[in-house]
Amino acid sequence: MKQQKIKRTTIGYWYGFIILAFFFWLAPGLVKAEKFVFTTAWTAQAQFAGYYIAKEKGFYKQAGLDVVIQHPSLTSSAFHRLQTAQTNAIMMSMMSAIDFISQGIPLVNIFQDSMNSSNILVTRWDTDPMKLKGKKVAIFNSDPSYMAMIMNHREKMNFEWVRFTSNINLFLSGAVDAMMTVSYNEYYMLQQAGFKMAEGSIYRFSERGYNIQENGVYVMRDYYLSHRDECQRFAAATKKGWEWAAAHPDEALEIVMKYVHRFNSPTNLVMQKMMLKETLRLQIDRDSKRREFRVRPDMVEKASQMLLESGMIKRGVTYKELTGQ
């Protein structure tokens, strides 16, 4: 009798284990996913492929998140949406985040896209960029061209800034002597427009001692402290999306174009293919030769010091502060 009782108890345990395992197997479909709103840095394009893939392939859903991907507009920036609680997370550059934090706006990085700088200064008439002292340089209006301003200060270039929102017409028309571009966007737009760029007329910031990580995903500190688990799940699923994009670039491009068409972005397939390839390249850390998706402490220190020396911020920002530690 005692052996039969033990046997029945053992069987009961196994049945309980099987039922519990079956419940967890079904859980993603039974448990309501938590809404998480994410706003990109610009209109729909391959720069955000990993996020689109994480959503389309169900990686966010598997993580228990109902991720809504938004794109900013000229009248409603990503940062404005974060400040007014219209979004939970936004994409911005590391230097922008350091600037805001130094002003007393508590931001925390929860995921890092970029491991390298994409900034390139392109000049007209095959001019050496270092011979542009006092000349007109077009810089982005939406996200301050910190690198251009730091270089201007360090090299005493005395540039005359001309701000632009998008497109390359200002540069092509000859209204400015040089233009700030990013290697995955405007640089390719100039190539597509047939503009000839001699290597001597190109200033690659990543090769001149200015290799600072750029875009990452940021949330307000209060949100991070109360939703740390959601932030970590979002980061893990996004990483999975980017890794899938790197392994399946052609299929990733198809997903990107789906979003491009849905949001009527003014671009083309050739441009997006080049953008995806360059975005993936920028994710590879120069030291480890891997996609690390992390903030590098040395780059935070370097960026903060550069901004301080140039008088663009009044106090330094540490790695621990930026990452919410």
Side-chain angles (χ1 to χ4, degrees):
M1 287 291 291
K2 188 175 181 181
Q3 287 181 340
Q4 290 178 343
K5 186 175 180 181
I6 293 172
K7 187 176 182 180
R8 284 197 297 269
T9 303
T10 303
I11 292 172
Y13 281 144
W14 275 107
Y15 273 123
F17 176 79
I18 292 170
I19 291 170
L20 188 62
F22 185 66
F23 171 78
F24 281 113
W25 180 66
L26 288 177
L30 295 175
V31 180
K32 185 178 180 181
E34 300 164 73
K35 188 175 182 180
F36 187 97
V37 183
F38 165 64
T39 305
T40 67
W42 196 236
T43 54
Q45 56 187 23
Q47 183 188 2
F48 317 123
Y51 304 95
Y52 300 150
I53 289 165
K55 184 171 178 65
E56 295 299 312
K57 291 296 180 181
F59 301 154
Y60 288 137
K61 187 176 181 181
Q62 292 167 14
L65 296 173
D66 174 19
V67 173
V68 177
I69 299 177
Q70 296 181 344
H71 299 89
S73 66
L74 294 178
T75 57
S76 181
S77 68
F79 185 65
H80 171 73
R81 295 184 188 195
L82 184 66
Q83 282 188 306
T84 54
Q86 297 178 59
T87 188
N88 301 119
I90 65 171
M91 177 182 281
M92 68 166 59
S93 70
M94 178 188 286
M95 283 197 161
S96 287
I98 290 174
D99 188 358
F100 283 126
I101 293 171
S102 73
Q103 296 176 47
I105 300 171
L107 298 172
V108 173
N109 177 292
I110 64 169
F111 182 76
Q112 185 62 33
D113 257 359
S114 158
M115 297 303 292
N116 300 282
S117 174
S118 66
N119 283 272
I120 300 175
L121 180 66
V122 179
T123 71
R124 292 184 61 82
W125 308 294
D126 294 339
T127 307
D128 180 351
M130 299 309 294
K131 295 181 180 179
L132 286 177
K133 290 189 177 182
K135 299 297 184 179
K136 293 180 179 179
V137 177
I139 58 172
F140 305 108
N141 189 47
S142 56
D143 188 11
S145 295
Y146 292 98
M147 284 304 186
M149 294 179 182
I150 290 171
M151 178 262 208
N152 182 53
H153 174 80
R154 281 187 162 189
E155 307 295 337
K156 297 178 174 55
M157 299 299 289
N158 193 30
F159 288 142
E160 180 182 344
W161 304 120
V162 180
R163 298 184 179 277
F164 72 99
T165 302
S166 62
N167 214 307
I168 56 176
N169 292 339
L170 186 70
F171 178 78
L172 291 178
S173 69
V176 293
D177 303 287
M179 173 185 179
M180 279 297 295
T181 71
V182 289
S183 62
Y184 54 81
N185 198 350
E186 292 83 10
Y187 184 76
Y188 286 139
M189 290 173 69
L190 288 173
Q191 286 186 342
Q192 285 197 316
F195 184 79
K196 304 299 181 182
M197 293 175 282
E199 192 59 35
S201 66
I202 296 171
Y203 187 98
R204 300 177 188 276
F205 283 78
S206 62
E207 307 298 330
R208 304 285 187 121
Y210 297 97
N211 193 35
I212 299 295
Q213 290 176 278
E214 293 176 345
N215 288 328
V217 179
Y218 292 83
V219 299
M220 297 299 287
R221 187 177 182 84
D222 287 347
Y223 180 84
Y224 177 72
L225 293 176
S226 59
H227 297 80
R228 190 174 304 213
D229 182 59
E230 289 91 327
C231 292
Q232 291 173 345
R233 283 186 278 137
F234 174 83
T238 302
K239 178 182 177 182
K240 192 174 180 181
W242 275 117
E243 289 173 340
W244 193 95
H248 309 85
D250 292 336
E251 294 173 69
L253 186 60
E254 291 178 8
I255 293 174
V256 167
M257 293 311 294
K258 176 181 175 180
Y259 277 78
V260 164
H261 295 318
R262 181 186 301 173
F263 293 98
N264 299 312
S265 293
T267 186
N268 58 70
L269 180 63
V270 175
M271 176 69 185
Q272 292 308 305
K273 185 174 183 177
M274 292 190 294
M275 182 182 289
L276 179 59
K277 183 178 180 180
E278 177 65 2
T279 300
L280 291 171
R281 186 189 72 81
L282 291 169
Q283 290 178 347
I284 298 175
D285 183 80
R286 290 188 175 187
D287 295 334
S288 69
K289 311 301 180 186
R290 300 195 311 267
R291 287 187 174 80
E292 298 196 5
F293 302 107
R294 70 180 179 93
V295 173
R296 286 183 47 156
D298 60 319
M299 288 200 185
V300 177
E301 182 180 356
K302 185 176 180 180
S304 183
Q305 189 60 38
M306 283 181 174
L307 290 167
L308 271 172
E309 290 174 356
S310 301
M312 298 175 71
I313 60 175
K314 293 183 178 179
R315 74 166 183 88
V317 173
T318 66
Y319 167 78
K320 287 187 175 181
E321 190 174 9
L322 190 75
T323 54
Q325 298 181 37

